[in-house]
Amino acid sequence: MPDTPRLEGIGAFRLSPLPEIHFGCQTLERLPALIVRHGKRILLVTGRRSFVNSPRWPQLQAALAEQGVSWQHVSVAEEPSPRLVDEVVAAHRGAGIDVVVAIGGGSALDAGKAMAGLLHTGTSVMDHLEGVGRGLPYPGPAVPLIAVPTTAGTGSEATRNAVLSERGPEGFKKSLRDDRLMARVALVDPDLLAGCPADQLAANGMDAFTQLLESYLSANSSPPTDALAWSGMQAFCQGFWTAIEGGPHAAEEGYSGIAYASLMSGITLAQAGLGAVHGLASPLGAFFPIPHGAVCGTLLAEATAVNIAALRERGEAPEALTKYARVGRLLADSPDLDDRQACDALVNTLRDWTRRLAMPRLGAFGMQESDLPRVVANARGGSMKTNPLVLSDEELSALLASRL
C-alpha cells in the first residue's frame, strides 16, 4: 500500500488567495487572450536572454499586435534590487499600464510582481520591504499581474511576495509581501523549459524540492498544503532525473513533472512557510554572489540531517520525524523501511543528489569560516521561524561549516 499522508486530526488553518492557474504544454498560446481581459496597455517584464532570444518572442509580439495590445518592455538581468524596481515604476507610472506581464525565471517574476504592486501606490519599495524598510503598510491596489515562468524552481508565479536584494557587506535579501501582490493569472507551460541547460535545471529543481520538503515539514503546514506538497514531491521524483538526463521523454514527462513540482512548491511555501535552508539562504544570497538554487542544492541534505538529529535528540515534534520518514520512503522507493531507516535513507538520498549534481560548496563563492557568525546572526527571519524546531547557533554554524 502506498505510503501516503494520513489525516490524524484537522486543526485550524488559513489559505491565502491563489492565482487563476493555467498549466500544460502549449498554454503560452492563451497569453494574448488572457492579457486583453485586463486591458491593452501592458508592461512586459522579461529576463535578459532566454525568452527574448527564442522564437517565442517574435511570435508573442505578433500575437499582441494582432490583438491591438501596446507594450513597454523591461529586461531584468539579475536578482532585482529595490532601486531597479523604483526606477522602472517611476518611468512607467504615468503610462496607464493596465496589466503587468512577467515572463522569465524567479528574478523576472519577482521584479514584475513588485512593479505591479507599486505602479498605483506612489510609494517606494523601501517604504514596505520587510525587515529593512520603513515599516509602512502596503496600501494597494496592485496592477493585475500575469506570471509566466520559464524555469522550474522558485514557484514565484504562485506566491504573494517579491524577493528583492542588495548584495555586499551591508546587503540584504528581503520580501515585499502582501496578498494583493499575488498574480491574477499563473500560466505554466512546461514547453518553455526546452533548451534550459542541465545545470540550471538542476539548481532550479533543487530549489523547488527544498520548498516542497520545507513546507511539508513547516510548523505552519496544514492538510491542504501537505497534500499539495506531497503531490509535488511525487511529480518531482518522477520527472527530475528524466529532465536532467534528457532522452525521448524529457519534454513530455520530465519537464511537466518539474514544472508541476515548482508550481506546487510556490503554492505551499506561500501558505505554510519554509525552513532552515531558506532561513540561511537570505543572508547567504545577500552577502555572497551565490545563486539561490545553489544554496538550496548545497545545504538541503545537511540541513535535513541536522533537523533529524535534533528531533531525535530532543524528542520534539515527533510528527516531523514521521513526515521525514514518509519522504525518505518515497525518494528511496522503499515502502518497507521503518521510520528510522527511512529518515536515514532520506539523508543518504539527498547527499547522493548533491554529489551527482556537483552542487558547489559555499567556499566557491568566497565564504570563509570567519563569516559563519555573521550569516547565522542574520538567519533568524521568517523562514527559520517555521522550521520544525528551533536550531541553535552552534547547529546552524556546523551545518554551514559542513558545506564550506
Side-chain angles (χ1 to χ4, degrees), residues 13 42 45 52 76 86 97 117-118 132 168 211 246 280 303 308 327 345 347 394-395 403-404:
F13 62 86
I42 73 172
V45 183
V52 295
V76 178
D86 282 350
I97 300 297
L118 297 177
V132 296
Q211 291 172 174
L280 292 166
I308 289 172
V327 181
V347 173
E394 292 74 19
E395 286 167 324
R403 294 302 298 167
L404 273 178

Side-chain angles (χ1 to χ4, degrees), residues 231-305:
S231 75
M233 288 187 285
Q234 288 178 311
F236 184 90
C237 291
Q238 292 164 6
F240 180 62
W241 292 105
T242 301
I244 293 292
E245 295 168 356
H249 302 293
E252 61 187 271
E253 295 179 8
Y255 294 159
S256 292
I258 59 175
Y260 176 83
S262 180
L263 173 63
M264 292 303 105
S265 80
I267 295 173
T268 57
L269 80 85
Q271 308 293 335
L274 294 167
V277 173
H278 279 82
L280 292 166
S282 180
L284 286 171
F287 299 150
F288 306 99
I290 177 168
H292 181 72
V295 173
C296 295
T298 203
L299 292 185
L300 180 59
E302 300 315 313
T304 302

